[in-house]
Each structure stands twice: as structure tokens, then as C-alpha cells.
Amino acid sequence: LKKIVPILAILLALTIVGGAAFWLHQSTGRPPTDRPNVLLISIDTLRADHVHSYGYPIETTPRLDQLAAEGARFTRALSNSPWTLPAHVTMLTGQEVGVHNVRYSKNALADSALTITEVMKEQGYATFGVGSAPYLKARYGYAQGFDSYDDDLAQVSYKASHESVTAGKAVNKTLRAIKQRRGENWFGFLHIWDVHYDYIPPAPYDKKFADPDYDGNFRMLKWEKNKKFRVGMDPDDFAFVISQYDGEIAWVDSQLGRLFDRLKEMGLYENTAIIVTADHGEEFLDHGQKGHGHSLFDELVRVPMIIKAPNVPVGRVVDCPAGLVDLFMTIAGWSKAPHVAYKGPGKDLTAMIAGDACNTDRPLFAETKMSNIDKLNAYKRGYEMMVEIDGYKYHNRVTKPLRELLFNIHEDPLEQKSLLDQEPKRREDMQEAMRRHSQINDKMRRSKRMSNRTKLDKKTRHQLKELGYIQ
Ligand SMILES: [Zn+2]
């Protein structure tokens, strides 16, 4: 009896506390307040190494750097895809591209797929999304689980989508959605498009990083068709282009700063978990090409990953391999979902930030069906995969012309000197990891059936054609 009495007392206490919590929840109609709001921000086309806190010498990103100082920054975060559509679908589903299979412009995420938005909705969160580009239209299946999914900014002509400035409008839409959900726990998804070409930052960001003595007249419009941006070009023109890309980044950073300031004024900043990342990077002749989609080098797959959240240690720099595939479980963790019907490779990044669960051997994968070895001169698309394990990165283009590369990413971060001949055993291990990965993906893809075909309307087809995504 002596042993049973304290147990009974504890049970009684738990019942009272639990009942009170239940009653509170019922009586206020609000979810428990120990859960943060969650804001997932994807900055299209932002390569990690142009973010100042990631080592870029120019101060492009004071507000993102401040966010990183208030939270955690993952030094090695990879996208699963070097272009917009598959990467964002991975972001919201936590699935590899080979599993969700939304890897062509004609594919969309099926309603049967589970998205993080649906989990949050199920957990009592109010949900909203803002998409600003053709591949973020609701028609691709993003809207599922969102109370409102605003893709107005994506519903414009090609010319408007590339020549107009939308980050400020996207931030305003986000602020409006947040105000409408005051007093509720909310999950918001904000997609920012301005860093994507054409690089035409609004004043004063057009001049912010440009050499005042530059007297060239390099054309920044219709970037996809610009054949003058190539190896051997005038270095002053090259520097000017980079200054315009950096100007776009600084402009977007200022708009996110405005968003964060408004959250503070509304008293919401502290209890809002904020993730800032990108869907992919951008190439500026790093391997002789431009734009994105065409390779799996770091300039295209390495993305920033900054997380600020209640109870996340401040100023932490995390070297654990991480990816877009991890966002699903990270966000689900904040919602305190007791169990999520998730089967996939994603991990909860907050455990890595806390110092647990860092597995340096963890493989990270990416792939593209738009692989192009020299798209400036010979437009030939193919299928390429990449795996990174323990600081080594292996690329394998499996369609002709074949290409295999192996790099030590710490010693050779610019991926210039392939170690394929020096490391035959490692090459074999990488190939084996890739084979296993493909087998698992194929099996999961067949059982999950997460994608279906979408019929492109004339306008979207035109937009994507102009962007160079489809022929
Ligand atoms: Zn993109």
C-alpha cells in the first residue's frame, strides 16, 4: 500500500493537470500555447555562399545574419533538386525526388500525398501560403492543407513575372494573413521570387554593390536567352552581373527584415519559429554555365538553412549534414504531433541543433532530369544523380554523354579536381549507396503514388518555355 499511495497521488495530480489543460483548450478554443507559430520562408535561387554569414565577404544579408545569430545556421544543407518544382515539393513532403516523382513540368503533387501543411492543419494550426512564381501555382498541388494559398503573384505573364518586383508584395500578403489569424497558432509558407533571374533589383539595391566606375551596358533582361554571359566575357560585365544578383539578395533581405520587425511589433516574434532556406542556388560560370537545373554542383544544390525558434540555442553553427528533406519532421516536431504517418529520410533538425543526432556519415542525395553538360553550346538534357557521404560528393550522369565525378568537399569546395581514379573503393561505395537509394525510392514511389499529371495551360506553358524549362 505504501508504494501504491504515492502512485495514486501522482495519477490523481496528472488527471487534474490534464483535465485542466483539456478544459483550458476547450474553453478558449485555442490550441496549447507552448507551441510556436511556424513560418517557412523559401528564397528562390539563393545560393548559400552569397549569404554573408555563410562566408560571403560582401554584406548582402544583414537581417538573415541577425536571424542566424538569434538561432542556428546549418553549414552544410543541400537541396534534393537544382530547380524549383521538385525542390519545393520535397520541402513540403519530406520525400526524395525519386519518391514524390514531381520531376517534370507536367507532374503535380497528388491529393493523396501527405504534406506538412496537412499535418499542421490536423494539429489545429491555421495555415496559409504565398507562392510567387510559375512553379508555385496551386495547380502543382501545393494548396493542399492550406486554409488559403495565394498564388496571385504567380498568375502573371512571363515578362511581368521576371521584370516586376514582388518580394514586398509577398511580404505584405504574409503580414495580412498573419493579422487575420491573430490569437491562433499558425503555420505560414512564404515563397520569395526576386532573387531569381532576371536580376533587376529596385533602387537603391541596383547600385549598392555595383562598381560606380562601371561604364558598360550589359543587358540584364531575358537572362535565359542571354548568350553573352559566358566564359571569357569582360570581367567588368561579369562583376556587374554579380552586383545585380547580390542587389536582389539585399533587397529581399530588407523585405524579410520588415517582416521580422512587424512580427516584433505585433508581439509574435518570440513565439514564432522561422526557417529561411532556398530551393536551389544559381550558377555564374562556376563550371562554365549559367542559371540552374543543369547540374548538381554546390553552386546549385547548397542552400542556406537558418532556424530561429523558441528553445533553439542562440548563435549555434551546426555542421551536421542537413537537407530540405528534413523540414517536414522539424516542423512536425514544433506542432507536437504525437505521431505522424511519415515514412521518409527526413530528421528533426532541432535535435541536431541541440547536439544530438548528428550523423556525419548520413548520405544526402540530389538528382535532376534536366542535367546539361554544356547548355550554352549543345542543349542536351539527361539524368544525373548525386550523393554526398562523409564529406565526399559523387556525381553520376547516367545518360549520354556520361559523366562521373568525385570530390572531397572540404579540400575542394569548388569541385574542380575529381578523385575518381585515386579513390576506386570510395567510388564503389558511392555507387552502391546510389543503387540502394534508387531501389528504395522506386519501391516507395510505386506504393505511395504521390504525383499525377497536370495539363499545362497556355500561359504556364509559355512562361516555362521562356524560362527555358521546357522546349
Ligand atoms: Zn527555384
Side-chain angles (χ1 to χ4, degrees), residues 15-233:
T15 309
I16 292 167
V17 171
F22 179 74
W23 178 82
L24 267 175
H25 185 164
Q26 292 298 304
S27 63
T28 61
R30 288 183 194 165
T33 51
D34 61 339
R35 305 187 305 179
N37 304 312
V38 181
L39 185 55
L40 169 59
I41 301 171
S42 168
I43 304 173
D44 212 294
T45 319
L46 177 58
R47 52 188 279 179
D49 64 358
H50 276 242
V51 175
H52 182 61
S53 43
Y54 276 80
Y56 197 50
I58 297 167
E59 294 196 4
T60 42
T61 50
R63 299 308 302 264
L64 293 189
D65 302 337
Q66 190 186 333
L67 191 76
E70 292 169 4
R73 180 173 68 80
F74 283 80
T75 58
R76 192 73 194 152
L78 299 189
S79 174
N80 302 65
S81 165
W83 65 285
T84 312
L85 178 60
H88 281 102
V89 172
T90 290
M91 235 183 251
L92 294 179
T93 61
Q95 297 296 344
E96 299 282 1
V97 176
V99 174
H100 64 59
N101 202 33
V102 183
R103 45 188 170 186
Y104 298 100
S105 300
K106 62 178 189 258
N107 294 140
L109 190 65
D111 276 345
S112 56
L114 179 70
T115 65
I116 187 58
T117 321
E118 291 171 312
V119 171
M120 299 304 269
K121 180 88 192 141
E122 179 70 29
Q123 284 300 105
Y125 275 74
T127 54
F128 67 88
V130 176
S132 314
Y135 278 125
L136 271 294
K137 284 182 183 174
R139 63 179 301 115
Y140 284 108
Y142 294 110
Q144 49 192 292
F146 283 115
D147 299 330
S148 69
Y149 186 79
D150 184 342
D151 63 359
D152 282 358
L153 295 171
Q155 304 285 357
V156 294
S157 70
Y158 160 76
K159 198 166 146 54
S161 105
H162 285 80
E163 296 184 14
S164 62
V165 176
T166 54
K169 289 177 189 158
V171 163
N172 290 345
K173 283 173 181 290
T174 302
L175 283 168
R176 256 198 308 277
I178 290 169
K179 276 182 205 150
Q180 284 163 2
R181 289 160 179 81
R182 268 208 123 136
E184 292 181 85
N185 255 154
W186 47 260
F187 164 63
F189 167 62
L190 166 59
H191 167 257
I192 297 269
W193 174 243
D194 282 341
V195 176
H196 192 284
Y197 56 78
D198 301 341
Y199 322 115
I200 37 170
Y205 299 94
D206 54 342
K207 301 227 162 50
K208 194 171 168 70
F209 305 115
D211 179 351
D213 295 332
Y214 173 69
D215 57 3
N217 56 353
F218 201 81
R219 254 180 87 74
M220 299 309 296
L221 298 178
K222 301 194 173 167
W223 187 250
E224 188 63 35
K225 294 187 171 160
N226 189 331
K227 291 199 184 328
K228 291 188 172 155
F229 190 77
R230 56 168 60 236
V231 174
M233 68 187 288

Side-chain angles (χ1 to χ4, degrees), residues 203-275:
Y205 299 94
D206 54 342
K207 301 227 162 50
K208 194 171 168 70
F209 305 115
D211 179 351
D213 295 332
Y214 173 69
D215 57 3
N217 56 353
F218 201 81
R219 254 180 87 74
M220 299 309 296
L221 298 178
K222 301 194 173 167
W223 187 250
E224 188 63 35
K225 294 187 171 160
N226 189 331
K227 291 199 184 328
K228 291 188 172 155
F229 190 77
R230 56 168 60 236
V231 174
M233 68 187 288
D234 179 346
D236 291 341
D237 285 342
F238 180 85
F240 176 70
V241 170
I242 300 301
S243 78
Q244 299 307 287
Y245 176 71
D246 288 343
E248 292 274 30
I249 297 171
W251 148 250
V252 163
D253 184 81
S254 76
Q255 291 309 298
L256 293 180
R258 184 165 67 85
L259 173 59
F260 302 155
D261 289 343
R262 287 294 295 128
L263 285 174
K264 283 176 192 163
E265 285 161 28
M266 288 189 269
L268 294 172
Y269 188 75
E270 283 297 314
N271 194 41
T272 298
I274 300 174
I275 300 175

